Amino acid sequence: MPVSPILERQTTYPFVRLNEAAQRVRERGVEVFDFGMGDPREPTDPKIRQALVDGLRDRMGYPTAVGLPELREAIAGWAARRFGTTLDPDTEIIPTLGSKEAIFSFALAVVDADGARDTVAYTDPGYPVYERGALFAHARPLALPLREEHGFLPELDAIDDETWARLAVFWINYPNNPTGATAPLAFYEQLAALAREHGFVIASDEAYTELWFDDPPASALQLADRTNIVAFNTLSKRSSMTGYRSGFAAGDPALIAALKAFRPTVGTAPQEFVQRASVVAWGDEAHVAETRERYRRKRALFLQLFERKGVRIAGSEATMYVWAAVPDGESSESFAGRLLEHGILIAPGSYLGDAGVGYFRVALVPSEEDCARAVEILERAL
Ligand SMILES: Cc1ncc(COP(=O)(O)O)c(C=O)c1O
């Protein structure tokens, strides 16, 4: 049977391995608290659910790739309120089916792998989809390590001229999964100047901009000059809508035009009833503020526990993740294995990239009650 060699070379998606290990522990009768994957288990706001139901009609035709004008206007309105930025709903925004598919296929739309610009850079540890999208587009993947001593920002000064010249896409992701680090606007400004100078695209994955605890994080959309810049955002984390699949790409009109040309072939326009629900979700901040408060309380439980136990917290400024150093003498995987024996499933940092070795990630997705029960278990296990 013909199978893509790229697919054959691909290792199992790390979370599949993690869930298999958890299943084996469950089969032994141990209750497992799942802090592994970042799939929020918070309920979706009733107004949003109702809008989805109301959006169902006798016949639902094919949705168009550019989406409903109401949805693009709702996104532009949100971006204006949140980032003080003006986006033209017709030329600077396109809806996506969640953001994962759009992130995966972005390299296919913009990279000329046979040309001089064949490289897609992304940060490590990180979301695995940037690299996989690059590989399937036959681009050259380049992992840039995120180091704690550098605030979990990529070291731009360490990139040589040859690499800049070959760079097609530079993926950044702040607030960052998995480290929870944020990036100041000055970082976006510095990278945007380099993108203009060297002619590469900045793809800014902003899935976690709304899960913050101190100051609202910056966005690439705040830059006055958005040449070569596209930002991806999503309702998945902000509005606990992972199952709806609704997000958007916004930025440089030339890049949005490329996506408008590419995406109808892929067939990734969100269903119209999902778009209707999304209009309501982007238009409301009250449910987002409540969600943030819930994460804030859950996060405090873990930060206090780790402080009491001498576990060193790193990054962890925003997002639904706590990123911390594994205790001395243990590896990321042995530590995760030990906690799993107690019924606590966390992600070893090594599963999230080579530079994640020595760390672990807690996704604050179980209910507050389950978080409190898990903290009690960890109180004894750590
Ligand atoms: C960094 C990052 N980007 C993008 C996504 C994709 O989210 P979605 O496809 O649900 O919008 C995730 C999901 O976990 C993520 O962690």
Side-chain angles (χ1 to χ4, degrees):
M1 191 187 72
V3 170
S4 155
I6 300 164
L7 189 59
E8 281 194 322
R9 273 198 298 273
Q10 195 175 276
T11 51
T12 314
Y13 199 73
F15 288 99
V16 176
R17 293 209 300 272
L18 205 58
N19 290 335
E20 284 167 359
Q23 192 48 33
R24 286 194 292 277
V25 172
R26 275 194 195 98
E27 279 160 15
R28 297 205 320 258
V30 178
E31 182 182 9
V32 174
F33 295 90
D34 188 349
F35 295 90
M37 240 172 68
D39 189 355
R41 272 158 255 157
E42 317 293 330
T44 303
D45 189 276
K47 300 191 275 304
I48 301 172
R49 286 185 266 151
Q50 191 57 47
L52 179 105
V53 173
D54 294 345
L56 194 59
R57 289 180 283 106
D58 290 353
R59 174 183 176 274
M60 306 296 300
Y62 284 120
T64 61
V66 294
L68 298 169
E70 298 92 308
L71 174 58
R72 283 180 276 112
E73 277 155 24
I75 293 166
W78 172 76
R81 290 188 298 279
R82 172 65 174 82
F83 300 120
T85 190
T86 306
L87 291 173
D88 180 337
D90 291 331
T91 58
E92 293 181 296
I93 298 174
I94 187 163
T96 56
L97 198 63
S99 53
K100 187 182 204 174
E101 58 81 14
I103 292 170
F104 176 80
S105 63
F106 187 64
L108 287 173
V110 297
V111 178
D112 172 11
D114 298 326
R117 254 177 217 290
D118 60 352
T119 304
V120 172
Y122 50 87
T123 55
D124 165 19
Y127 190 50
V129 182
Y130 319 120
E131 178 188 10
R132 291 184 175 197
L135 290 172
F136 278 96
H138 298 280
R140 187 174 75 117
L142 176 67
L144 302 172
L146 297 183
R147 306 272 179 220
E148 189 173 345
E149 58 273 21
H150 205 257
F152 295 112
L153 295 171
E155 283 171 71
L156 303 178
D157 296 343
I159 299 173
D160 60 35
D161 283 342
E162 194 214 320
T163 305
W164 286 126
R166 284 179 69 173
L167 198 57
V169 179
F170 195 137
W171 280 103
I172 50 171
N173 166 227
Y174 293 98
N176 182 252
N177 172 14
T179 65
T182 54
L185 192 58
F187 170 77
Y188 292 92
E189 280 164 353
Q190 188 191 357
L191 193 59
L194 288 161
R196 286 192 297 271
E197 182 187 340
H198 297 287
F200 62 87
V201 170
I202 299 174
S204 180
D205 175 358
E206 303 189 355
Y208 295 95
T209 50
E210 302 319 289
L211 303 186
W212 48 268
F213 307 104
D214 301 320
D215 296 320
S219 162
L221 296 176
Q222 281 169 267
L223 298 172
D225 182 349
R226 289 193 290 259
T227 309
N228 287 9
I229 293 174
V230 62
F232 296 81
N233 212 317
T234 169
L235 290 172
S236 288
K237 320 285 172 169
R238 172 190 190 276
S239 299
S240 309
M241 288 171 67
T242 43
Y244 288 65
R245 315 308 299 132
S246 185
F248 69 83
D252 187 333
L255 290 168
I256 300 304
L259 292 176
K260 280 185 183 171
F262 173 73
R263 293 179 58 79
T265 313
V266 195
T268 38
Q271 295 85 346
E272 197 185 301
F273 40 85
V274 169
Q275 295 192 48
R276 300 260 175 225
S278 307
V279 171
V280 174
W282 289 116
D284 180 64
E285 285 304 313
H287 74 281
V288 190
E290 276 169 30
T291 301
R292 261 195 301 272
E293 288 313 306
R294 261 198 306 269
Y295 282 121
R296 185 194 296 281
R297 291 192 294 271
K298 293 196 254 184
R299 178 172 173 265
L301 283 176
F302 279 85
L303 295 188
Q304 287 158 11
L305 167 82
F306 290 156
E307 244 162 58
R308 281 197 297 282
K309 294 287 172 182
V311 172
R312 191 169 56 75
I313 296 150
S316 306
E317 293 152 28
T319 74
M320 57 170 69
Y321 305 110
V322 173
W323 185 247
V326 298
D328 287 345
E330 283 185 273
S331 71
S332 295
E333 295 197 24
S334 70
F335 180 66
R338 183 160 75 81
L339 295 194
L340 189 54
E341 290 303 309
H342 294 273
I344 308 294
L345 177 64
I346 51 129
S350 54
Y351 277 22
L352 299 154
D354 291 344
V357 167
Y359 295 90
F360 67 97
R361 188 190 77 177
V362 180
L364 299 169
V365 290
S367 66
E368 288 189 57
E369 194 192 339
D370 281 355
C371 284
R373 288 175 64 205
V375 164
E376 267 174 36
I377 295 170
L378 287 169
E379 201 81 64
R380 293 189 297 274
L382 283 174

